[in-house]
Amino acid sequence: MDGRKRRYLQIDALENRFLLAVAGFEFNLFEDVNGQPGSAIEQVVVDESFFVEITAQEFDPKAKGLAAVALDIEWDPNALQSLDAPFDPGQIITPNLSLFQLGELNQVDGLISNLSGVSPSTVNNIGDGSAERFALLRFRAMQPGDSLLTMD
């Protein structure tokens, strides 16, 4: 020993602190190439169709993805028109959430209510630590300006 007094550091484990948000959802826009999603876009052109991808991500380190998702999607019906008619949630929602797929389109009010699906097993959960497609919607831009697309 060199004569110096040793100083020790005591480390105490704190309780786990998980993120306050356990899930996040995001819109991504894609051009419409003959009815199929093309390249990502930032803006849409009036009188042209485009796709809106809704992604879901689960942040809880103890969970294994989202086993169920249910959202309401709203937009200005004067600015956007849904092209998903006839409306079939089975064609819009990821096949990973294939049980109890629901959703009701109200074109007049610009609303899809209770767009939802449930995973048949934990193997099919979506968004485990990274964003993954929940749904893909197709719209047409009806007028110039800014328009909000929101989800609850």
Side-chain angles (χ1 to χ4, degrees):
M1 197 136 142
D2 61 357
R4 288 187 281 180
K5 187 175 180 181
R6 290 187 182 216
R7 296 175 16 181
Y8 294 93
L9 175 65
Q10 181 175 333
I11 300 174
D12 293 323
L14 298 174
E15 70 276 7
N16 287 330
R17 303 208 177 173
F18 297 113
L19 294 174
L20 295 177
V22 294
F25 300 90
E26 189 172 59
F27 292 121
N28 298 305
L29 303 177
F30 293 93
E31 64 183 352
D32 185 340
V33 180
N34 300 319
Q36 298 297 317
S39 300
I41 56 175
E42 297 290 323
Q43 295 180 333
V44 297
V45 178
V46 174
D47 291 328
E48 289 191 8
S49 57
F50 63 98
F51 285 92
V52 174
E53 175 189 55
I54 302 171
T55 61
Q57 182 175 352
E58 168 270 310
F59 298 107
D60 185 342
K62 290 185 175 183
K64 298 293 182 207
L66 297 169
V69 174
L71 297 172
D72 291 336
I73 313 298
E74 298 179 64
W75 63 90
D76 179 351
N78 296 315
L80 301 174
Q81 175 188 20
S82 172
L83 298 180
D84 292 310
F87 191 77
D88 180 2
Q91 298 297 313
I92 294 168
I93 298 170
T94 177
N96 287 5
L97 302 180
S98 60
L99 298 178
F100 310 113
Q101 289 183 332
L102 300 170
E104 185 175 324
L105 171 64
N106 181 328
Q107 193 78 270
V108 173
D109 293 334
L111 173 67
I112 298 173
S113 56
N114 194 32
L115 186 63
S116 57
V118 176
S119 174
S121 74
T122 56
V123 174
N124 292 8
N125 290 356
I126 65 169
D128 185 12
S130 63
E132 192 172 339
R133 180 178 290 170
F134 162 61
L136 185 67
L137 305 167
R138 191 171 177 222
F139 287 92
R140 177 177 305 284
M142 303 301 289
Q143 67 183 27
D146 294 333
S147 181
L148 292 177
L149 191 64
T150 61
M151 60 184 131
D152 294 321

